[in-house]
Amino acid sequence: MKKIVALLVALMLLCGCTAALADEKVELVVLAAASMTETLTKIADLYAQVAPNVTLTFNFDSSGTLKTQIQEGAECDLFISAGQKQMNQLDITADPAVNTAGLDFVNEETRVNLLENRVTLCVPEGNPKNVESFDALAERLKAGDVLLAMGNSDVPVGQYTQKILAYYQLDEAELAKKGVLTYGTNVKEVTTQVSESSVDCGIVYCTDAFSAGLTPVDYATKEMCGQVIYPAAVLKISKHAEEAKAFLNYLMGEKAMAVFESVGFAPVN
């Protein structure tokens, strides 16, 4: 009888400990590309219903800036980049030609290609300069009668834009000297320049165009700049790796993906 009582007490204590762990408050720090600001903020509200003990703290910026912050010691449980390059630069299993510093932050077992975006050409309301396609943009840039906003070379949207310029055999340095290019430190800055009509057009992601209420006039093809893949991974420096994995799994689920798709993201095929 004493053994049975002792066993029941032990089970009660175990259940109590398990419940305490389930109720333990956890803060997950998520560093994510600026183009995910609206969607992740909305998903956070949904996730609160699933994991009320988890608080999500987001830091949105260009992927290059976030990569540098991680490298310099910023707290981060989950990293979502707008390009493979920035994730590879933190992944010890990546090509050493990309991860030149030999950084080892990525838990490679958790790394996934989460989403695909599209690079789009947008214009201010009314399209004052009548820029209607990438083909037309290339000709107008050569003529020097249009001002294009693009991302800096250290952010993915800028790197995709550089590929588009190369596709049309346009020299970025020469265009900059002609004064037909202006830059943004992240995709949100480029979108703002277009929205405020301070430029004639800009190259952004379709998700940012959607969020800003801009209508794309053309979409870049795979031949122009390749696929726009957003990789995600739990980092080895995470203080809450299991909770970070759970949130990443949620992001790949039906409810979160519906939010992503509503603004132009798509699952990676």
Side-chain angles (χ1 to χ4, degrees):
M1 187 66 180
K2 290 183 179 180
K3 290 183 178 179
I4 294 175
V5 173
L7 179 60
L8 289 174
V9 171
L11 286 173
M12 291 175 65
L13 289 173
L14 178 60
C15 290
C17 290
T18 302
L21 287 173
D23 293 335
E24 183 182 351
K25 299 297 182 182
V26 172
E27 180 186 12
L28 285 183
V29 179
V30 180
L31 271 59
S35 51
M36 305 185 75
T37 302
E38 291 80 9
T39 49
L40 284 181
T41 301
K42 185 173 183 178
I43 289 170
D45 292 334
L46 297 175
Y47 195 63
Q49 302 171 27
V50 177
N53 63 310
V54 176
T55 299
L56 295 169
T57 298
F58 295 111
N59 179 6
F60 297 106
D61 211 319
S62 72
S63 299
T65 296
L66 296 176
K67 172 260 173 185
T68 299
Q69 290 176 358
I70 293 169
Q71 184 177 353
E72 293 179 349
E75 185 177 349
C76 179
D77 296 292
L78 179 66
F79 178 42
I80 310 176
S81 171
Q84 299 284 15
K85 178 180 177 181
Q86 289 72 25
M87 187 67 75
N88 286 338
Q89 288 174 329
L90 297 172
D91 191 343
I92 195 64
T93 67
D95 187 342
V98 179
N99 186 359
T100 55
L103 301 178
D104 186 13
F105 284 89
V106 173
N107 181 341
E108 56 270 12
E109 293 181 355
T110 68
R111 180 170 174 173
V112 295
N113 289 331
L114 180 63
L115 298 166
E116 181 174 0
N117 208 338
R118 299 177 72 186
V119 175
T120 184
L121 176 63
C122 286
V123 295
E125 185 176 358
N127 194 4
K129 283 295 186 75
N130 196 32
V131 180
E132 297 181 344
S133 67
F134 278 108
D135 289 347
L137 171 64
E139 294 303 317
R140 301 288 291 275
L141 287 172
K142 290 177 183 176
D145 67 350
V146 69
L147 180 60
L148 169 69
M150 62 178 284
N152 288 342
S153 61
D154 64 338
V155 300
V157 73
Q159 293 158 7
Y160 290 122
T161 303
Q162 289 178 322
K163 291 180 180 179
I164 293 171
L165 295 178
Y167 174 83
Y168 285 104
Q169 299 182 331
L170 295 170
D171 188 306
E172 181 186 352
E174 289 185 5
L175 293 176
K177 286 182 180 179
K178 289 168 65 175
V180 297
L181 298 179
T182 182
Y183 294 88
T185 60
N186 59 49
V187 68
K188 293 297 184 186
E189 287 190 7
V190 178
T191 307
T192 297
Q193 291 181 53
V194 179
S195 297
E196 295 178 348
S197 299
S198 58
V199 296
D200 301 315
C201 53
I203 297 178
V204 299
Y205 301 120
C206 73
T207 51
D208 295 282
F210 180 93
S211 299
L214 298 173
T215 301
V217 296
D218 200 5
Y219 295 93
T221 64
K222 184 178 180 179
E223 290 71 28
M224 290 180 186
C225 63
Q227 285 183 287
V228 184
I229 303 298
Y230 282 49
V234 176
L235 298 190
K236 291 180 178 179
I237 59 173
S238 172
K239 297 178 181 177
H240 307 287
E242 291 306 314
E243 289 84 357
K245 291 176 186 176
F247 180 56
L248 179 54
N249 287 334
Y250 183 82
L251 293 179
M252 294 185 285
E254 184 177 338
K255 287 188 176 180
M257 199 56 66
V259 176
F260 288 131
E261 291 178 336
S262 71
V263 300
F265 281 117
V268 179
N269 295 320

